[in-house]
Amino acid sequence: MKDYGAALASADTVSVANSSDVVSARQMVRTLAQRSGMSLVHQTKLVTAASELGRNMLVYGGGGVVRAATITDAGRSGIYVAFEDQGPGIGDLDLALTDGWTSGSGMGLGLSGAKRLVDDFDIDTGPGGTTVRIVKWGR
Amino acid sequence: MTTDSKMPVLVETLTAQRDAFLAQWTQAVGEDLQGRLSLAELGRELGELYDSILRGLNAADFDSRGEHFAETRSLLIELSRSRARQGFTPTETARSVFSLKEVLEPSLAADGKGAQQYLQFARLLDDLGLLTTEAYVRTREEIISSQAEQLLELSTPVVKLWDGVVGVPLVGTLDSARTQVVMEKLLQTLVDTDSTHAIIDITGVPTVDTQVAQHLLKTVVAARMMGAQCTISGIRPQIAQTIVALGIEFGDIPTNASLSDALRQALKEVAQDAADDARGLL
Ligand SMILES: Nc1ncnc2c1ncn2[C@@H]1O[C@H](COP(=O)(O)OP(=O)(O)OP(=O)(O)O)[C@@H](O)[C@H]1O
Ligand SMILES: [Mg+2]
């Protein structure tokens, strides 16, 4: 996935420390998606992915920061969202991305499902924390 | 009057002129509150307060947080709570206490000995006034959290749609606390209305993620354990596509695009059950 870090200079930010913050992060992403004129189906998929990643960040990463920005690339526009936590990291990424695998009491579909819901998906994880970055392109 | 008090002048004055001071105090507070409380009620409230402060002073004490003012403190907390509920500001409540200072000033501050005791007394009243502010904040917090609970109850209505059919129109998001409330209400309503069908409508739920799905499934399982048939309705096209991409499966739980379709289906089944009953098949 391309580096869209520069876009984050003008990003909207929500710190996530409890479950109502996850709702706020979701609303921030929805507002950006609506403003960029994204179709309802794409909006819903993006917002749902943000909900999954935001909650993972809260539950397994001990909270963190969600940043979102509108980006353009090769004539198309989309929404870029980054989820950054300072938690313990994901031990086995392949396992974590397996449908139905959960270390807790979830359905084990959040991470793998979020990946299917967006166009670009990238995870950077280690003992110092986890950063998940996603892009959903417009229309 | 005999007293062990270290401030005989103060105690004597407060005792001797009780009725006059109380009347002035009531008058002053009444003006401040602009008639939102009757003078009779105010007089009773302030009278109790006045007497309890006097009892504390009699016990030779200026420590508002000490044991001799325990009664005064509980009266003030009570006063503060009822004022908070009636919508008075914390400043107004604190001023009710402070204004006793102004009432006493002319009688006490005139001579040296009285002035010294007056100052100590003023400090005591400042402390007591601040206490009402603390109590006020605590009361408001209690009111807010109980309203949040009521809101939760209100936003999860369970209604009888038809004979034998119960509906649960969900609006907003479905977290653990809310799921618990929905589940309890649904199960109770199934029993109370003697219903066999439940329709959970998610038209008003903007995002259906794995957490919402898991909570929906739990609710359905609980309703089924009571012998009820459960349908999830109000699945909009964009939600359907998102659920499929996420990989969530609702298994054998019937789903419908609209509440009316779900209701039609449920009524058909209720009628069928009744017909079977009549034929003695069950
Ligand atoms: N930010 C994170 N930090 C550490 N571990 C994580 C993080 N995100 C996910 N994981 C790990 O990956 C696993 C799979 O995540 P996934 O979201 O797919 O499932 P889940 O959260 O357990 O259940 P749900 O289906 O409700 O989302 C989690 O159980 C957890 O162990
Ligand atoms: Mg998850």
Side-chain angles (χ1 to χ4, degrees), chain B residues 68-141:
Chain B
H68 298 304
F69 285 101
E71 189 198 352
T72 309
R73 287 198 301 273
S74 58
L75 282 174
L76 278 175
I77 289 169
E78 197 42 55
L79 178 96
S80 180
R81 281 169 177 275
S82 74
R83 295 277 169 88
R85 294 218 152 73
Q86 290 163 318
F88 290 98
T89 69
T91 309
E92 284 169 331
T93 306
R95 246 193 339 243
S96 298
V97 178
F98 295 153
S99 59
L100 180 58
K101 288 194 283 190
E102 280 140 49
V103 172
L104 296 184
E105 194 184 323
S107 317
L108 280 167
D111 71 286
K113 199 156 189 202
Q116 197 208 350
Q117 290 181 15
Y118 169 76
L119 273 180
Q120 271 182 293
F121 184 63
R123 236 172 274 138
L124 172 76
L125 284 181
D126 285 346
D127 260 4
L128 293 175
L130 289 177
L131 198 79
T132 64
T133 311
E134 276 171 40
Y136 183 92
V137 170
R138 236 174 294 126
T139 306
R140 290 302 286 223
E141 272 162 15

Side-chain angles (χ1 to χ4, degrees), chain A residues 52 56 60-61 85 89-90 96 101-104 106-111 130, chain B residues 210:
Chain A
E52 296 298 343
N56 279 355
Y60 305 108
D85 69 57
I90 304 176
W101 189 84
T102 172
S103 67
M107 298 179 111
L109 290 172
L111 208 55
T130 302
Chain B
T210 56

Side-chain angles (χ1 to χ4, degrees), chain B residues 34-88:
Chain B
Q34 292 159 352
R36 279 171 294 161
L37 277 182
S38 76
L39 283 186
E41 194 181 341
L42 259 181
R44 193 188 45 74
E45 261 179 11
L46 298 180
E48 274 182 63
L49 203 54
Y50 188 100
D51 294 338
S52 87
I53 293 174
L54 193 51
R55 274 194 292 276
L57 289 172
N58 251 319
D61 206 332
F62 267 129
D63 177 11
S64 69
R65 313 259 153 163
E67 57 169 322
H68 298 304
F69 285 101
E71 189 198 352
T72 309
R73 287 198 301 273
S74 58
L75 282 174
L76 278 175
I77 289 169
E78 197 42 55
L79 178 96
S80 180
R81 281 169 177 275
S82 74
R83 295 277 169 88
R85 294 218 152 73
Q86 290 163 318
F88 290 98

